[in-house]
């Protein structure tokens, strides 16, 4: 079965904040590396996440987990007032 691919672009106010988010999120690796590959990159002020999964279920679980972690990161940035920096 061919892998499923999904690219998600998340805009940030600045390149610096997108890079901070990338560095924080890169620490958490996928648990099932044989079924999910995730790569993060920064392009201008956008964080780009590329997912390659073996099944639709793994895609859903992986993207959902990533978005939950991203929400936590952006809320932390907001609480620390770095979004306005």
């Amino acid at each position: 079965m061919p892998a499923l691919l999904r690219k998600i672009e998340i805009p940030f106010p600045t390149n610096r904040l997108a890079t901070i988010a990338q560095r924080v999120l890169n620490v958490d690796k996928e648990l099932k590396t044989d079924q999910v590959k995730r790569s993060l990159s920064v392009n201008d002020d956008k964080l780009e996440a590329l997912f390659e999964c073996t099944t639709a279920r793994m895609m859903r679980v992986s993207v959902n987990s990533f978005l939950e972690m991203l929400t936590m990161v952006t809320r932390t940035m907001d609480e620390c007032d770095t979004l306005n920096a």
Side-chain angles (χ1 to χ4, degrees):
M1 173 184 264
L4 302 169
L5 297 172
R6 172 60 57 198
K7 181 179 178 182
I8 301 172
E9 294 180 353
I10 303 99
F12 279 85
T14 66
N15 174 275
R16 180 179 149 273
L17 292 174
T19 301
I20 290 170
Q22 176 196 27
R23 289 178 182 166
V24 171
L25 292 167
N26 264 337
V27 173
D28 292 319
K29 301 299 180 194
E30 293 294 332
L31 296 177
K32 297 190 177 191
T33 56
D34 60 325
Q35 298 178 40
V36 178
K37 291 184 177 124
R38 180 188 77 202
S39 61
L40 299 176
S41 61
V42 174
N43 186 7
D44 294 326
D45 61 350
K46 291 183 184 143
L47 174 64
E48 298 177 345
L50 180 64
F51 295 86
E52 185 177 342
C53 302
T54 56
T55 65
R57 179 183 181 279
M58 288 309 302
M59 179 68 76
R60 178 183 56 79
V61 169
S62 182
V63 169
N64 186 57
S65 174
F66 171 77
L67 292 175
E68 286 179 4
M69 289 186 296
L70 178 64
T71 299
M72 181 183 63
V73 168
T74 55
R75 284 183 179 165
T76 301
M77 287 177 168
D78 191 38
E79 288 291 318
C80 294
D81 202 30
T82 59
L83 288 178
N84 297 321

